[in-house]
Amino acid sequence: MEKLKIGVIFGGMSTEHDVSIVSGSSVLNNLNGEKYEILPIYIDINGFYYKYIGNIKELAKLHVGDGIENIEKIENPITYLKKCDVIFPVLHGLYGEDGTIQGLLELLKIKYVGCNVLASSVAMDKAYAKIIFDKAGLKQAKYVYIYKKNNKDYEYIDKEFNVETLDINNISKKISNILKMPVFVKPSNSGSSVGIKKANNENELKSAIEYAGEYDKKIVIEEEIKGREVECAVLGNRDVIASCVGEIKSAENFYTFDAKYNNAESKTIIPAEIDKEISDEIRTSAIKAFKAIDGKGLSRVDFFIGNDGKVYINEINTMPGFTQISMYPKLFEAEGLEYSQLLDKLIELAYVNE
Ligand SMILES: Nc1ncnc2c1ncn2[C@@H]1O[C@H](COP(=O)(O)OP(=O)(O)O)[C@@H](O)[C@H]1O
Ligand SMILES: [Mg+2]
């Protein structure tokens, strides 16, 4: 029997390019070579496509930030992609997790792992994900959403999309009156904590808004939830299962880029030591959030358990980190699903039309 051709795309044009290389290399190393013909496809930061022609095992040695060697340019990516039966876009962030590559694959009529265009783009855009979470009745931090209009002005956008244009001083003042400090300021389209700052007062808020504005015109500002940070993995198309809950113990003040990838002191605890009742609530909410964005295949849903004992949703990631030590595969490993079996399941789900 001919083997299924699986194209694994990694790298990509986002700030999470380096993380994607490590995620992609784990996926490549765990795909069952007896079942699949594996085509590793690397996208560089400028959007050019390459075949990876080195030994896949070598890729597994890479750490976040290492460059990639042994690549050969693909002159016609469309023809090359068309060779694949299924594509696994192991891309994080913009141009990968946001519906754009999914749109390309839809146009090419190629099956792919994970969420479709709509779910990917809604989940990627924190402002819109929050609107959907509100609609689904999922509790979350109190937030506001602003838009950087130009170098001087910002738009404050209220819950009914009424717009008020204000300069940095006035918008910061307005937000300080609405939200309780400290707040988290986030580029709406961000990932791996890039562009995110915590602000303790109005002055810090101003600079955090300006900083976030360097990454995205849309900016979300939300109240801090003091408590624990937990994550739950979901898998499925219409029949969705949720994994156990895992806890993040960040080595830093919050879960920054360095805390995620460069600080060995950051720990994950699987399963989290929490009451069954809370764990059940998180698992149910994770599936609900996934359904609410019209998810497919997989997602990792992140929550806080506040010191008030309540569960707050933070975000949903449609292409979560996939390194050997990443939460998503580890949560399912704890359920008895080995990494390579998980990949088989994801590929199978890419095929199912229901
Ligand atoms: N409202 C909040 N309360 C407390 N911590 C937060 C809040 N929002 C974000 N954080 C911290 O910042 C990190 C990154 O924020 P997040 O929204 O998850 O962005 P990203 O998509 O970049 O992962 C979180 O993992 C958490 O540690
Ligand atoms: Mg996050």
Side-chain angles (χ1 to χ4, degrees), residues 126 141 184 186 190-194 196 222-225 229 254-255 260 304 314-315 317:
K126 295 186 192 300
F184 277 81
K186 312 177 179 181
S190 74
S192 289
S193 303
V194 176
I196 299 183
E222 63 185 61
E223 289 182 353
E224 178 184 38
I225 305 292
E229 207 168 337
F254 71 94
Y255 208 31
K260 283 178 182 173
F304 301 110
N314 177 32
E315 60 161 345
N317 296 282

Side-chain angles (χ1 to χ4, degrees), residues 5-9 37-42 49-53 72-87 105 108 110:
K5 290 192 186 68
I6 309 291
V8 177
I9 308 187
E37 183 183 337
I38 302 163
L39 291 82
I41 303 167
Y42 169 68
Y49 288 63
Y50 301 82
K51 285 183 238 182
Y52 174 73
I53 51 171
E72 187 182 289
K73 190 136 183 216
I74 300 171
E75 293 304 336
N76 190 334
I78 287 182
T79 316
Y80 196 77
L81 292 175
K82 281 274 205 185
K83 287 186 194 182
C84 304
D85 297 309
V86 176
I87 297 268
L105 298 173
L108 298 177
I110 304 172

Side-chain angles (χ1 to χ4, degrees), residues 311-328:
V311 171
Y312 298 83
I313 191 163
N314 177 32
E315 60 161 345
I316 179 162
N317 296 282
T318 53
M319 192 50 73
F322 244 99
T323 71
Q324 207 71 43
I325 56 158
S326 290
M327 193 62 117
Y328 188 90

Side-chain angles (χ1 to χ4, degrees), residues 36-146:
Y36 310 116
E37 183 183 337
I38 302 163
L39 291 82
I41 303 167
Y42 169 68
I43 301 181
D44 74 10
I45 199 78
N46 298 311
F48 291 105
Y49 288 63
Y50 301 82
K51 285 183 238 182
Y52 174 73
I53 51 171
N55 186 335
I56 286 174
K57 296 238 168 348
E58 288 297 309
L59 277 180
K61 296 180 189 154
L62 294 179
H63 294 102
V64 172
D66 292 343
I68 186 163
E69 290 170 352
N70 294 314
I71 51 175
E72 187 182 289
K73 190 136 183 216
I74 300 171
E75 293 304 336
N76 190 334
I78 287 182
T79 316
Y80 196 77
L81 292 175
K82 281 274 205 185
K83 287 186 194 182
C84 304
D85 297 309
V86 176
I87 297 268
F88 195 150
V90 196
L91 297 167
H92 309 308
L94 290 179
Y95 310 109
E97 200 176 344
D98 62 347
T100 51
I101 194 110
Q102 290 76 11
L104 173 68
L105 298 173
E106 294 281 349
L107 282 172
L108 298 177
K109 284 185 163 284
I110 304 172
K111 292 185 167 37
Y112 55 94
V113 169
C115 286
N116 63 14
V117 174
L118 176 85
S120 303
S121 48
V122 168
M124 183 73 219
D125 194 314
K126 295 186 192 300
Y128 280 83
K130 283 182 179 298
I131 291 167
I132 303 285
F133 295 156
D134 269 342
K135 187 81 188 156
L138 294 160
K139 200 189 303 297
Q140 56 188 333
K142 189 173 177 193
Y143 73 98
V144 300
Y145 157 39
I146 67 173

Side-chain angles (χ1 to χ4, degrees), residues 223-239:
E223 289 182 353
E224 178 184 38
I225 305 292
K226 288 193 171 53
R228 297 160 76 176
E229 207 168 337
V230 293
E231 305 185 337
C232 180
V234 295
L235 175 68
N237 289 346
R238 300 318 302 167
D239 294 322

